[in-house]
Amino acid sequence: MESGVLIEVAEGRVTSLRAGSAPGDAVVLDGLVLPGLANAHSHAFHRALRGATQTGGGTFWTWREIMYRVASALDPDTYLDLARAVYAEMAMAGITCVGEFHYLHHAPGGTPYADPNAMGEALVEAAAQAGVRITLLDTCYLSSGFGAGPDTTQLRFSDGSAEAWAERAESLAGALKARDHARVGAAIHSVRAVPADQLGTVAAWADARRAPIHVHLSEQPAENEGCLAAYGVTPAGLLADHGVLGPRTTAVHATHLTDGDVALLGGTATTVCMCPTTERDLADGIGPAKDLQEAGARLTLGSDSHAVIDLFEEARGMELNERLRTRRRGHWSAAELLRAATGDGHASLGWPDAGRIEVGAVADLVTVSLDSVRTAGPRPGAETAVFAATAADVRDVVAGGRVVVRHGVHVLVPDAPAALRAAIARLEAS
């Protein structure tokens, strides 16, 4: 670890790194300076569920019913307000890029808005107003289950066919070409939600544009059982059969896998995004993260349902989950866990030049305080960030060379808690 380093930035990128005195107009970053964090899996509207789904019991499926009620209340204006506040919270946690897994495409009932991409464009604008980059993972979602059409709530998720989805997604990608902070990728909600004969259409759209493609995979045993009954293969096998897996693909969760699934994901160099705080909040289970990495998969991290927005907690959660699963300690070094939260996360979202501090890289910098009750005492380093710090210890954030958080305050959304309260209250009142 180096101290007293002058980082010079021009046009959003690092131009030099050198020891020496800083000019008088330099922004001083006091603490442990890390690359910007990447939240590789987000559903922004789930933030409205925090504290509302933690009472009583139930399963993922009962939680989903509450989530659907929030989904039904959103429109482009309320989504812009909510997402801007959520992305501001992310920035204050050190996140400089978010992968938004977006499937709220149309109005309730499935009628397209006058602008068919109004909801996606609201998310992109929200990211701009919060000072972070976004990869909008436009999601194909056509079915409520194997062989079944969308239910009432899911009608607003569906374009009717993968071909219609691709046409709308192409229009969105064209509209966002001038937005430097935004990129468009593809997503398959799950093998439950996209029939097998339409998976290839989504994969081909992403392949033609060299865009990332993400997919929820084997989050629940019921998904595996349904896929085996419908197609005779596991979800990972079905995706492999239709050309979905590969180096630009990220499988999210990958919780309930067979040994063959692990070999498929690793052998195709597919990335796997683990979301430990959501997986434990929803009682999903613990996925075989270390087995996947050893098989050849790269690992990234996401806050998913935003029960917590804290990538340090996600990083240590992956390690601590593996300790529980195997009853052994020390599966990843702090530096390896930090790479999952930074460089590998950015790469999975189509920003391979972000997530590291070096000349030519995107100038994303995060300062972690070393004098809080959590971080005071340990020798400064990656271990302090991953195993001691929380999002509350982030003091300064620079995204693309622009200061967006200073001394713990978001400079574009100065009262982020009030913005969150107002946005969620507006939804609750609708």
Side-chain angles (χ1 to χ4, degrees):
M1 189 181 76
E2 301 289 337
S3 60
V5 176
L6 175 63
I7 305 172
E8 294 184 308
V9 174
E11 297 181 354
R13 293 184 179 271
V14 176
T15 57
S16 74
L17 296 164
R18 56 188 173 86
S21 59
D25 61 349
V27 175
V28 177
L29 302 178
D30 186 16
L32 177 64
V33 179
L34 306 172
L37 308 177
N39 190 348
H41 189 67
S42 163
H43 301 288
F45 75 95
H46 288 190
R47 174 61 178 82
L49 297 168
R50 187 184 297 176
T53 61
Q54 276 75 34
T55 59
T59 66
F60 167 86
W61 305 103
T62 53
W63 167 87
R64 192 178 73 160
E65 292 305 310
I66 302 171
M67 180 268 285
Y68 276 179
R69 290 201 290 270
V70 174
S72 297
L74 287 158
D75 60 32
D77 289 338
T78 54
Y79 210 6
L80 172 60
D81 287 347
L82 177 61
R84 176 177 55 236
V86 174
Y87 296 153
E89 181 182 358
M90 289 187 194
M92 294 172 69
I95 293 162
T96 55
C97 185
V98 57
E100 184 62 38
F101 201 100
H102 166 58
Y103 53 82
L104 295 181
H105 301 306
H106 307 300
T111 301
Y113 291 101
D115 173 358
N117 285 304
M119 293 291 274
E121 289 169 357
L123 290 165
V124 170
E125 178 59 24
Q129 293 183 21
V132 300
R133 292 190 306 283
I134 185 171
T135 296
L136 190 72
L137 298 162
D138 196 286
T139 304
C140 187
Y141 194 134
L142 306 172
S143 171
S144 62
F146 300 97
D151 66 21
T152 301
T153 301
Q154 294 163 346
L155 286 171
R156 74 178 310 187
F157 309 164
S158 177
D159 291 296
S161 69
E163 290 77 12
W165 166 85
E167 182 178 349
R168 186 185 48 72
E170 184 64 19
S171 174
L172 177 64
L176 297 183
K177 280 183 178 178
R179 306 297 303 264
D180 291 342
H181 77 293
R183 293 180 181 171
V184 177
I188 292 165
H189 179 273
S190 59
V191 296
R192 289 183 290 108
V194 180
D197 61 1
Q198 301 197 55
L199 293 170
T201 299
V202 184
W205 186 91
D207 286 344
R209 289 148 191 82
R210 309 300 297 168
I213 179 170
H214 289 218
V215 55
H216 291 131
L217 177 66
S218 292
E219 184 177 4
Q220 296 293 322
E223 177 184 307
N224 293 353
E225 295 160 6
C227 190
L228 284 165
Y231 302 117
V233 293
T234 64
L238 189 68
L239 294 175
D241 289 345
H242 291 272
V244 177
L245 302 183
R248 284 182 294 97
T249 302
T250 296
V252 182
H253 302 305
T255 307
H256 303 282
L257 302 180
T258 66
D259 290 345
D261 294 337
V262 171
L264 266 179
L265 293 167
T268 54
T270 295
T271 295
V272 175
C273 180
M274 309 302 288
C275 305
T277 64
T278 289
E279 288 148 7
R280 69 194 186 204
D281 181 58
L282 299 184
D284 285 345
I286 297 173
K290 190 63 177 180
D291 293 347
L292 285 160
Q293 185 185 53
E294 290 178 346
R298 184 173 56 185
L299 300 176
T300 63
L301 298 163
S303 64
D304 190 2
S305 68
H306 312 314
V308 176
I309 295 179
D310 187 337
L311 265 288
F312 301 128
E313 176 63 22
E314 304 294 346
R316 67 174 157 265
M318 186 165 71
E319 166 66 27
L320 298 179
N321 277 356
E322 193 69 14
R323 293 181 187 186
L324 290 173
R325 191 176 76 91
T326 64
R327 290 180 291 176
R328 289 188 296 106
R329 301 178 75 240
H331 300 275
W332 294 276
S333 69
E336 289 172 323
L337 293 168
L338 196 57
R339 185 170 65 244
T342 56
D344 288 348
H346 287 282
S348 77
L349 298 176
W351 304 87
D353 50 353
R356 56 188 185 274
I357 303 174
E358 62 182 45
V359 173
V362 177
D364 286 358
L365 307 168
V366 173
T367 301
V368 176
S369 170
L370 294 175
D371 58 7
S372 77
V373 293
R374 292 167 293 278
T375 60
R379 184 175 63 183
E383 290 76 15
T384 302
V386 173
F387 291 107
T390 72
D393 295 310
V394 171
R395 304 305 299 157
D396 302 298
V397 177
V398 178
R402 177 190 191 187
V403 176
V404 295
V405 177
R406 188 63 169 153
H407 304 314
V409 177
H410 199 292
V411 301
L412 303 175
V413 188
D415 194 343
L420 283 162
R421 282 194 301 271
I424 293 170
R426 187 177 175 190
L427 278 182
E428 292 174 344
S430 63

